[in-house]
Amino acid sequence: MDIRIRFLGGAGSVTGSKFLLTVDSYNLLIDCGLFQGLKELRLRNWEDFPVAPAAIDAVILTHAHIDHSGYLPLLFKNGFNGEIHCTEPTLDLAEILLMDSAKLQQEEADFANRKGYSKHDPALALYKVQDAINVLSAFKSHPFEKTFRIRDHIEVRFFHAGHILGAASVELKIYTSQGVKSLIFSGDLGPMHSPLHVAPADPPAADVLFVESTYGGRNHRHQNLEEELRQLILESDRKGGCILIPAFSVGRTQLILYYLWKIFQNMKSRPVYVDSPMAISVTRLYKQYSAYHRLESDSEFGHHIFDAPFIHYVREQGKSKLLNTIRDRAIIISASGMATGGRILHHLYHRLPNEQDTILFSGFLPEGTRGRDIANGEPMVRIFGEQVPVKAKVHVLDGLSAHADQDELVEWTSHIKEAPKKTFIIHGEKEQAEVFKARLQGRGWNVTIPDYLESFTLFDHV
């Protein structure tokens, strides 16, 4: 038996995670994400898949974020006919996120064609809503910590990764003539002390480890998030403006609502508009899967945090546009968190030129995204084919990140007492991965940072 790995994404970047594990002739894909950020990365989504989709036997999905799941509709459309294995919350989240991804692509292509600003004629969506609907039939969910077999000689177990609702690390056990070979895929790891999500579970022993490195080269700033956010609200009141928060619909929006709920126990509340149909649907799942996160209803006030009276959920597009007429003392939360698409764009279009308004970013912004450009101080950004001046105050709250930082990643790996024979650092920009690599090598580990499309033999003739 030969066991090989090929990095079809998530190598040298924080996006497009796809790891093809081949056990003899059996092809197992761990994650199947879209590339986001830099144009050179996004163009990979349009290239022929490096392996015939029909040759892939199954997919293991660590969590529902689009950079881990977003290519699945296209994989299915182009011939994949196996099962997609994930946790129970991930299945429900993936349905919401994949449908939204397809809808946004169609809307953006239609808008570009109407306005004529696309370089492509016509502009096309990568896949359509029906493609997202079709792939859902291939999903099969599993409880955490319950081992299941996908092949006679391959066992899988999901254990908690933190990060977002349902996010998992994956233990793969492959039974060979020379004993059991254990492979661990970290998925995206969350911070150890999130008030929203459970802490990542300690990893078991591993012959081969694949570990993310989004923040492998830096630690989150130690900050009093509640107080920092409170001061931003007070400053916004003094200036007479609004706070606009680009936020991911899964996890980040709910965490911001939690902090606002805490703040408004001790000061007069402001209206908070959650302007993202997807975030609204995801928030309902947080209520449904209460055992998978740390929030509880507050008995003193008699309502769930997400039902607080100051929160207003905006579903209709017409009401979304009306939010642009609000001049002060309001907080608007909208997706996407990287400002690459969604309703946040029309809010940014109207509010970036306004010196009284505040744009508050709440997490990691990959290179090449509009959010990264704004946070880095670019004086102009392109939205809807137009150059928009950035005159609003821009602030970044690092501590809201859903990713473990460098020390937390090192701590997580320290629970693997015996060094893996091989460790691959994945899902990180080069500088972050290199710093993390040096720390693990300092422990005497054999560490590799793979390149895009690079292949390795993990075990041969076993």
Side-chain angles (χ1 to χ4, degrees), residues 384-402:
F384 304 140
E386 297 181 26
Q387 291 294 331
V388 178
V390 180
K391 295 184 178 180
K393 174 184 172 67
V394 178
H395 192 87
V396 179
L397 274 180
D398 282 336
L400 288 173
S401 174

PDB file of all heavy atoms in Angstrom, residues 384-402:
ATOM      1  N   PHE A 384     -17.908  48.552  -7.490  1.00  0.00           N
ATOM      2  CA  PHE A 384     -18.854  48.671  -8.601  1.00  0.00           C
ATOM      3  C   PHE A 384     -18.232  49.379  -9.799  1.00  0.00           C
ATOM      4  O   PHE A 384     -18.885  50.167 -10.493  1.00  0.00           O
ATOM      5  CB  PHE A 384     -20.129  49.398  -8.170  1.00  0.00           C
ATOM      6  CG  PHE A 384     -20.845  48.781  -7.006  1.00  0.00           C
ATOM      7  CD1 PHE A 384     -21.420  49.567  -6.020  1.00  0.00           C
ATOM      8  CD2 PHE A 384     -20.938  47.398  -6.887  1.00  0.00           C
ATOM      9  CE1 PHE A 384     -22.092  48.994  -4.958  1.00  0.00           C
ATOM     10  CE2 PHE A 384     -21.606  46.810  -5.820  1.00  0.00           C
ATOM     11  CZ  PHE A 384     -22.182  47.612  -4.856  1.00  0.00           C
ATOM     12  N   GLY A 385     -16.944  49.111 -10.014  1.00  0.00           N
ATOM     13  CA  GLY A 385     -16.272  49.678 -11.167  1.00  0.00           C
ATOM     14  C   GLY A 385     -15.871  51.131 -11.009  1.00  0.00           C
ATOM     15  O   GLY A 385     -15.363  51.726 -11.959  1.00  0.00           O
ATOM     16  N   GLU A 386     -16.080  51.730  -9.817  1.00  0.00           N
ATOM     17  CA  GLU A 386     -15.732  53.133  -9.582  1.00  0.00           C
ATOM     18  C   GLU A 386     -14.678  53.240  -8.486  1.00  0.00           C
ATOM     19  O   GLU A 386     -14.619  52.414  -7.573  1.00  0.00           O
ATOM     20  CB  GLU A 386     -16.968  53.939  -9.163  1.00  0.00           C
ATOM     21  CG  GLU A 386     -18.056  54.008 -10.218  1.00  0.00           C
ATOM     22  CD  GLU A 386     -19.236  54.835  -9.736  1.00  0.00           C
ATOM     23  OE1 GLU A 386     -19.029  55.720  -8.871  1.00  0.00           O
ATOM     24  OE2 GLU A 386     -20.357  54.583 -10.214  1.00  0.00           O
ATOM     25  N   GLN A 387     -13.839  54.275  -8.548  1.00  0.00           N
ATOM     26  CA  GLN A 387     -12.881  54.577  -7.496  1.00  0.00           C
ATOM     27  C   GLN A 387     -13.590  55.367  -6.392  1.00  0.00           C
ATOM     28  O   GLN A 387     -14.153  56.430  -6.638  1.00  0.00           O
ATOM     29  CB  GLN A 387     -11.705  55.381  -8.046  1.00  0.00           C
ATOM     30  CG  GLN A 387     -10.805  54.596  -8.990  1.00  0.00           C
ATOM     31  CD  GLN A 387     -10.067  53.464  -8.290  1.00  0.00           C
ATOM     32  OE1 GLN A 387      -9.769  53.525  -7.098  1.00  0.00           O
ATOM     33  NE2 GLN A 387      -9.772  52.410  -9.042  1.00  0.00           N
ATOM     34  N   VAL A 388     -13.552  54.818  -5.170  1.00  0.00           N
ATOM     35  CA  VAL A 388     -14.242  55.432  -4.039  1.00  0.00           C
ATOM     36  C   VAL A 388     -13.206  55.934  -3.036  1.00  0.00           C
ATOM     37  O   VAL A 388     -12.327  55.167  -2.622  1.00  0.00           O
ATOM     38  CB  VAL A 388     -15.188  54.416  -3.359  1.00  0.00           C
ATOM     39  CG1 VAL A 388     -15.878  55.043  -2.150  1.00  0.00           C
ATOM     40  CG2 VAL A 388     -16.220  53.896  -4.360  1.00  0.00           C
ATOM     41  N   PRO A 389     -13.252  57.209  -2.635  1.00  0.00           N
ATOM     42  CA  PRO A 389     -12.277  57.723  -1.670  1.00  0.00           C
ATOM     43  C   PRO A 389     -12.510  57.160  -0.266  1.00  0.00           C
ATOM     44  O   PRO A 389     -13.664  56.982   0.149  1.00  0.00           O
ATOM     45  CB  PRO A 389     -12.511  59.232  -1.706  1.00  0.00           C
ATOM     46  CG  PRO A 389     -13.924  59.392  -2.145  1.00  0.00           C
ATOM     47  CD  PRO A 389     -14.191  58.257  -3.092  1.00  0.00           C
ATOM     48  N   VAL A 390     -11.422  56.882   0.443  1.00  0.00           N
ATOM     49  CA  VAL A 390     -11.508  56.366   1.811  1.00  0.00           C
ATOM     50  C   VAL A 390     -11.240  57.529   2.765  1.00  0.00           C
ATOM     51  O   VAL A 390     -10.087  57.888   3.026  1.00  0.00           O
ATOM     52  CB  VAL A 390     -10.501  55.234   2.047  1.00  0.00           C
ATOM     53  CG1 VAL A 390     -10.620  54.713   3.484  1.00  0.00           C
ATOM     54  CG2 VAL A 390     -10.735  54.108   1.045  1.00  0.00           C
ATOM     55  N   LYS A 391     -12.310  58.112   3.293  1.00  0.00           N
ATOM     56  CA  LYS A 391     -12.175  59.227   4.232  1.00  0.00           C
ATOM     57  C   LYS A 391     -12.698  58.872   5.618  1.00  0.00           C
ATOM     58  O   LYS A 391     -12.430  59.579   6.593  1.00  0.00           O
ATOM     59  CB  LYS A 391     -12.915  60.454   3.690  1.00  0.00           C
ATOM     60  CG  LYS A 391     -12.306  61.009   2.405  1.00  0.00           C
ATOM     61  CD  LYS A 391     -13.013  62.275   1.956  1.00  0.00           C
ATOM     62  CE  LYS A 391     -12.364  62.834   0.688  1.00  0.00           C
ATOM     63  NZ  LYS A 391     -13.049  64.071   0.223  1.00  0.00           N
ATOM     64  N   ALA A 392     -13.446  57.787   5.729  1.00  0.00           N
ATOM     65  CA  ALA A 392     -13.956  57.348   7.025  1.00  0.00           C
ATOM     66  C   ALA A 392     -12.796  56.863   7.900  1.00  0.00           C
ATOM     67  O   ALA A 392     -11.738  56.477   7.400  1.00  0.00           O
ATOM     68  CB  ALA A 392     -14.979  56.230   6.837  1.00  0.00           C
ATOM     69  N   LYS A 393     -13.006  56.886   9.212  1.00  0.00           N
ATOM     70  CA  LYS A 393     -12.026  56.308  10.144  1.00  0.00           C
ATOM     71  C   LYS A 393     -12.030  54.793   9.954  1.00  0.00           C
ATOM     72  O   LYS A 393     -13.095  54.171   9.865  1.00  0.00           O
ATOM     73  CB  LYS A 393     -12.400  56.649  11.587  1.00  0.00           C
ATOM     74  CG  LYS A 393     -11.511  55.976  12.648  1.00  0.00           C
ATOM     75  CD  LYS A 393     -12.013  56.287  14.040  1.00  0.00           C
ATOM     76  CE  LYS A 393     -11.272  55.489  15.100  1.00  0.00           C
ATOM     77  NZ  LYS A 393      -9.855  55.868  15.235  1.00  0.00           N
ATOM     78  N   VAL A 394     -10.856  54.187   9.883  1.00  0.00           N
ATOM     79  CA  VAL A 394     -10.738  52.735   9.715  1.00  0.00           C
ATOM     80  C   VAL A 394     -10.056  52.154  10.946  1.00  0.00           C
ATOM     81  O   VAL A 394      -8.991  52.635  11.369  1.00  0.00           O
ATOM     82  CB  VAL A 394      -9.932  52.380   8.448  1.00  0.00           C
ATOM     83  CG1 VAL A 394      -9.785  50.871   8.315  1.00  0.00           C
ATOM     84  CG2 VAL A 394     -10.615  52.959   7.208  1.00  0.00           C
ATOM     85  N   HIS A 395     -10.669  51.142  11.528  1.00  0.00           N
ATOM     86  CA  HIS A 395     -10.133  50.523  12.744  1.00  0.00           C
ATOM     87  C   HIS A 395     -10.208  49.004  12.587  1.00  0.00           C
ATOM     88  O   HIS A 395     -11.138  48.484  11.986  1.00  0.00           O
ATOM     89  CB  HIS A 395     -10.948  50.970  13.965  1.00  0.00           C
ATOM     90  CG  HIS A 395     -10.319  50.635  15.274  1.00  0.00           C
ATOM     91  ND1 HIS A 395      -9.409  51.464  15.907  1.00  0.00           N
ATOM     92  CD2 HIS A 395     -10.456  49.552  16.078  1.00  0.00           C
ATOM     93  CE1 HIS A 395      -9.008  50.909  17.044  1.00  0.00           C
ATOM     94  NE2 HIS A 395      -9.643  49.748  17.174  1.00  0.00           N
ATOM     95  N   VAL A 396      -9.223  48.302  13.148  1.00  0.00           N
ATOM     96  CA  VAL A 396      -9.183  46.840  13.084  1.00  0.00           C
ATOM     97  C   VAL A 396      -9.138  46.281  14.498  1.00  0.00           C
ATOM     98  O   VAL A 396      -8.286  46.676  15.301  1.00  0.00           O
ATOM     99  CB  VAL A 396      -7.960  46.338  12.289  1.00  0.00           C
ATOM    100  CG1 VAL A 396      -7.936  44.806  12.270  1.00  0.00           C
ATOM    101  CG2 VAL A 396      -7.988  46.885  10.864  1.00  0.00           C
ATOM    102  N   LEU A 397     -10.064  45.387  14.805  1.00  0.00           N
ATOM    103  CA  LEU A 397     -10.079  44.681  16.086  1.00  0.00           C
ATOM    104  C   LEU A 397      -9.510  43.285  15.874  1.00  0.00           C
ATOM    105  O   LEU A 397     -10.224  42.361  15.482  1.00  0.00           O
ATOM    106  CB  LEU A 397     -11.510  44.586  16.626  1.00  0.00           C
ATOM    107  CG  LEU A 397     -12.063  45.744  17.457  1.00  0.00           C
ATOM    108  CD1 LEU A 397     -13.491  45.427  17.878  1.00  0.00           C
ATOM    109  CD2 LEU A 397     -11.214  46.020  18.679  1.00  0.00           C
ATOM    110  N   ASP A 398      -8.209  43.109  16.123  1.00  0.00           N
ATOM    111  CA  ASP A 398      -7.579  41.806  15.909  1.00  0.00           C
ATOM    112  C   ASP A 398      -8.135  40.733  16.828  1.00  0.00           C
ATOM    113  O   ASP A 398      -8.219  39.565  16.476  1.00  0.00           O
ATOM    114  CB  ASP A 398      -6.061  41.909  16.144  1.00  0.00           C
ATOM    115  CG  ASP A 398      -5.352  42.543  14.960  1.00  0.00           C
ATOM    116  OD1 ASP A 398      -5.900  42.469  13.853  1.00  0.00           O
ATOM    117  OD2 ASP A 398      -4.275  43.120  15.161  1.00  0.00           O
ATOM    118  N   GLY A 399      -8.482  41.118  18.045  1.00  0.00           N
ATOM    119  CA  GLY A 399      -8.861  40.130  19.050  1.00  0.00           C
ATOM    120  C   GLY A 399     -10.137  39.383  18.760  1.00  0.00           C
ATOM    121  O   GLY A 399     -10.481  38.436  19.467  1.00  0.00           O
ATOM    122  N   LEU A 400     -10.872  39.799  17.739  1.00  0.00           N
ATOM    123  CA  LEU A 400     -12.097  39.082  17.368  1.00  0.00           C
ATOM    124  C   LEU A 400     -11.818  37.930  16.407  1.00  0.00           C
ATOM    125  O   LEU A 400     -12.740  37.256  15.971  1.00  0.00           O
ATOM    126  CB  LEU A 400     -13.095  40.045  16.723  1.00  0.00           C
ATOM    127  CG  LEU A 400     -13.764  41.050  17.658  1.00  0.00           C
ATOM    128  CD1 LEU A 400     -14.595  42.049  16.856  1.00  0.00           C
ATOM    129  CD2 LEU A 400     -14.645  40.342  18.670  1.00  0.00           C
ATOM    130  N   SER A 401     -10.561  37.702  16.075  1.00  0.00           N
ATOM    131  CA  SER A 401     -10.233  36.670  15.108  1.00  0.00           C
ATOM    132  C   SER A 401     -10.746  35.306  15.555  1.00  0.00           C
ATOM    133  O   SER A 401     -10.725  34.959  16.740  1.00  0.00           O
ATOM    134  CB  SER A 401      -8.715  36.592  14.905  1.00  0.00           C
ATOM    135  OG  SER A 401      -8.387  35.504  14.080  1.00  0.00           O
ATOM    136  N   ALA A 402     -11.191  34.532  14.587  1.00  0.00           N
ATOM    137  CA  ALA A 402     -11.641  33.164  14.860  1.00  0.00           C
ATOM    138  C   ALA A 402     -10.504  32.155  14.752  1.00  0.00           C
ATOM    139  O   ALA A 402     -10.733  30.958  14.844  1.00  0.00           O
ATOM    140  CB  ALA A 402     -12.764  32.793  13.886  1.00  0.00           C
TER     141      ALA A 402
END
